């Protein structure tokens, strides 16, 4: 599989109260086996904070932290959807829930299993 072009994508929660934009070439997608990721069943792409822009709805976001309280998981207060989180190991990056991206099909992009449950 060849490299994908760097592209901008618009994303949102289910109700549209939270909107964001990312720029990525989708080198890989990840799933995680930690307790929260197993429950939300998200498929994520890692994006540097310089390639992420919140377009609207900051007032509709609520934050959840657990375990080490380092990762910052954001949810829409209106519809409850998880669009992104600030990563624990690489806090200058966001993990973006690709199912929140408009007109995006993850088919054909390699998926890596992250071993979050084993992290101390």
């Amino acid at each position: 599989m060849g490299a994908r072009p760097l592209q901008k994508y618009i994303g949102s929660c289910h109700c549209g109260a939270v909107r964001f934009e990312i720029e990525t070439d989708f080198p890989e997608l990840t799933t995680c086996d930690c307790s929260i990721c197993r429950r939300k069943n998200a498929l994520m792409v890692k994006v540097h904070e310089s390639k992420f822009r919140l377009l609207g709805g900051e007032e509709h976001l609520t934050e959840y932290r657990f375990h080490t309280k380092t990762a910052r998981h954001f949810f829409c207060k209106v519809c409850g959807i998880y669009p992104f989180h600030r990563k624990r190991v690489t806090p200058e990056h966001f993990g973006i829930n690709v199912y929140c991206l408009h007109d995006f099909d993850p088919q054909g992009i390699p998926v890596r299993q992250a071993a979050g449950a084993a992290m101390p």
Side-chain angles (χ1 to χ4, degrees):
M1 171 177 276
R4 298 178 189 288
L6 194 62
Q7 288 185 269
K8 287 187 179 181
Y9 293 87
I10 300 294
S12 69
C13 60
H14 187 258
C15 70
V18 175
R19 296 174 295 106
F20 60 93
E21 176 184 83
I22 65 167
E23 189 172 12
T24 184
D25 59 357
F26 290 98
E28 69 177 5
L29 300 175
T30 59
T31 60
C32 179
D33 66 356
C34 79
S35 60
I36 192 170
C37 287
R38 277 195 327 265
R39 286 169 175 82
K40 65 186 177 195
N41 196 34
L43 184 60
M44 297 169 283
V45 64
K46 183 177 174 181
V47 175
H48 190 271
E49 63 191 4
S50 66
K51 302 293 184 187
F52 172 87
R53 189 166 60 114
L54 187 62
L55 299 174
E58 183 174 3
E59 69 277 12
H60 297 295
L61 286 172
T62 190
E63 181 181 335
Y64 177 66
R65 296 185 190 203
F66 70 104
H67 189 49
T68 66
K69 311 271 192 258
T70 306
R72 301 172 62 197
H73 300 266
F74 295 96
F75 297 83
C76 174
K77 291 183 208 178
V78 180
C79 66
I81 294 298
Y82 150 75
F84 51 84
H85 73 280
R86 178 77 73 163
K87 298 185 73 60
R88 174 181 169 188
V89 177
T90 53
E92 69 281 359
H93 286 84
F94 284 92
I96 308 296
N97 180 354
V98 300
Y99 296 130
C100 290
L101 299 176
H102 302 179
D103 302 318
F104 175 72
D105 181 1
Q107 189 161 354
I109 301 173
V111 178
R112 180 179 56 85
Q113 174 67 49
M119 290 178 70

